[in-house]
Amino acid sequence: RAACIRTVVAESDTVDRAIRAVRTVPPGKSQEGPGWELGTINTLKAEDWSPRPARAKELLGQFGQSATVRIVPGLFDVHLGIRTGDNKVFIVPPSLVQRMSTEERRFFRPLADIIKRGRVQSHQFVFYPYDNRKLSITSEAQLKSLVPVFYSACLAPNESRLQGRSSKRGRRWWELVEPRLGWLAFGSQRLVSTAFGRRGAFAFDAVGEYAVVQGDAWLWKGTRELSTEEWFAYLAVLNSPIFEAVIDYFCPQTQGGQYDLAKRFMGNVPLPDMTLLAKREKKRLAEYGRAIHEGKRVPLYSYSTSAAAAFGVKLEDFITA
């Protein structure tokens, strides 16, 4: 018969004890101690291979029984950010934008690559010469006329390098390699996240003004549009200690302790469907989300309790998972 795969789950300060247990506990047997747990699994799945504590598996099973919990891809389209092809040229500081006329500034979008405590900390801008999913600047004469400051400071000195970029789409030398024309439209509400982060790494872009380079954009894919209240409720859940505990089961961590929030790791992540949540629960979460959006403090215990309830479980279930 096929051999089982032994799993070891341990906190950082109990690794030595867990390794000693591996040497003494017979294969196929499970055992646990303070801060560590030995188990076995029969197969590894490419889309969900990370071993989890038994209590965590039970908790995820509870989510699956909830009538209001889905998985991220069932609720949102998660889109990868822009690829400029040369960040040093196309991403510029506020000091350069301040030298531009109002007409020139309209070709630049603030970046949402720095998000802290659920709010965008925008310090840079990206050149974005597109409108209505089409290139707005189609000739070099227009380029020099419409964005003279940017052309002189950034484009002209690097023209030969930009000309040398390979592009399968026949783009002009001043274009971005991947401008994400399919979703990066001004005016559409969305959530934005950093590429790597912990609690607080999600923000609400209420009017679709921000561009994303090092991060992702979450666009709602439901049959009806989300209300502002529902967007704020999602903001609350995604920035909660509860959601961080959830993604700990699915997203790998970097050496610095941040989680990789890439789309490929969100495929099995559970998330409440706000359109199905009880009105009272949704309203409470929206209040927390609005406070986060406005930079106000939220009461952590009651906030976490509400976020857990949105998943259909109690806060204590997460604490003991």
Side-chain angles (χ1 to χ4, degrees):
R1 73 186 176 90
C4 292
I5 300 169
R6 169 164 281 189
T7 62
V8 183
V9 180
E11 297 176 4
S12 59
D13 58 347
T14 63
V15 172
D16 290 342
R17 275 173 277 172
I19 292 174
R20 285 197 294 271
V22 171
R23 297 184 183 124
T24 58
V25 177
K29 297 291 184 179
S30 298
Q31 189 168 320
E32 62 181 271
W36 59 269
E37 181 178 314
L38 303 184
T40 57
I41 55 177
N42 294 321
T43 58
L44 285 174
K45 297 180 181 179
E47 71 277 7
D48 186 16
W49 54 266
S50 180
R52 302 188 182 96
R55 181 66 191 91
K57 294 178 183 178
E58 294 175 13
L59 188 59
L60 293 174
Q62 288 180 254
F63 296 160
Q65 298 172 12
S66 172
T68 60
V69 175
R70 304 287 184 262
I71 57 175
V72 169
L75 299 170
F76 289 93
D77 281 320
V78 181
H79 294 277
L80 192 65
I82 291 169
R83 294 296 176 261
T84 68
D86 197 322
N87 286 354
K88 291 183 179 179
V89 174
F90 293 109
I91 296 177
V92 300
S95 58
L96 186 68
V97 175
Q98 289 169 4
R99 291 165 47 193
M100 300 175 184
S101 66
T102 302
E103 175 68 15
E104 184 170 358
R105 289 180 188 179
R106 70 185 179 91
F107 294 102
F108 293 82
R109 302 280 290 272
L111 283 182
D113 287 4
I114 300 176
I115 301 173
K116 296 181 179 179
R117 297 180 181 177
R119 304 182 73 202
V120 174
Q121 310 290 315
S122 182
H123 299 297
Q124 294 180 303
F125 294 79
V126 63
F127 178 54
Y128 200 76
Y130 305 93
D131 190 28
N132 293 324
R133 301 187 179 184
K134 295 187 299 184
L135 182 66
S136 301
I137 301 177
T138 57
S139 70
E140 292 195 40
Q142 283 185 316
L143 194 66
K144 296 174 184 178
S145 172
L146 294 174
V147 289
V149 173
F150 179 65
Y151 179 82
S152 299
C154 302
L155 290 180
N158 296 289
E159 181 177 350
S160 59
R161 189 168 86 222
L162 297 176
Q163 291 274 19
R165 295 178 304 164
S166 60
S167 175
K168 298 179 181 179
R169 302 176 187 244
R171 300 195 187 281
R172 293 167 175 82
W173 65 267
W174 59 87
E175 285 197 69
L176 308 182
V177 171
E178 291 290 348
R180 311 302 184 196
L181 297 176
W183 65 264
L184 191 54
F186 184 84
S188 58
Q189 294 180 315
R190 51 183 166 254
L191 295 161
V192 290
S193 78
T194 55
F196 301 91
R198 297 186 67 97
R199 181 161 63 96
F202 292 83
F204 175 42
D205 187 358
V207 295
E209 65 177 310
Y210 292 102
V212 180
V213 175
Q214 302 296 330
D216 299 283
W218 291 36
L219 274 64
W220 177 248
K221 61 189 295 185
T223 54
R224 71 162 177 81
E225 294 294 323
L226 291 179
S227 66
T228 300
E229 180 180 71
E230 288 165 338
W231 279 111
F232 279 133
Y234 271 121
L235 183 67
V237 167
L238 291 172
N239 286 308
S240 68
I242 302 307
F243 189 70
E244 181 173 87
V246 170
I247 62 174
D248 185 65
Y249 305 145
F250 296 92
C251 301
Q253 283 184 281
T254 65
Q255 288 186 340
Q258 294 187 318
Y259 294 97
D260 188 334
L261 302 177
K263 176 180 179 178
R264 65 183 180 276
F265 299 119
M266 293 292 169
N268 293 296
V269 174
L271 192 65
D273 185 342
M274 292 301 167
T275 66
L276 301 177
L277 210 61
K279 187 174 181 180
R280 186 174 181 179
E281 293 179 6
K282 190 188 313 183
K283 182 179 180 181
R284 187 179 298 112
L285 281 170
E287 291 173 353
Y288 295 134
R290 187 181 294 276
I292 291 169
H293 186 68
E294 295 174 354
K296 299 176 181 177
R297 296 180 65 86
V298 295
L300 187 60
Y301 180 80
S302 57
Y303 165 37
S304 300
T305 299
S306 294
F311 282 95
V313 298
K314 297 179 180 179
L315 179 59
E316 291 73 19
D317 293 327
F318 278 95
I319 294 173
T320 58

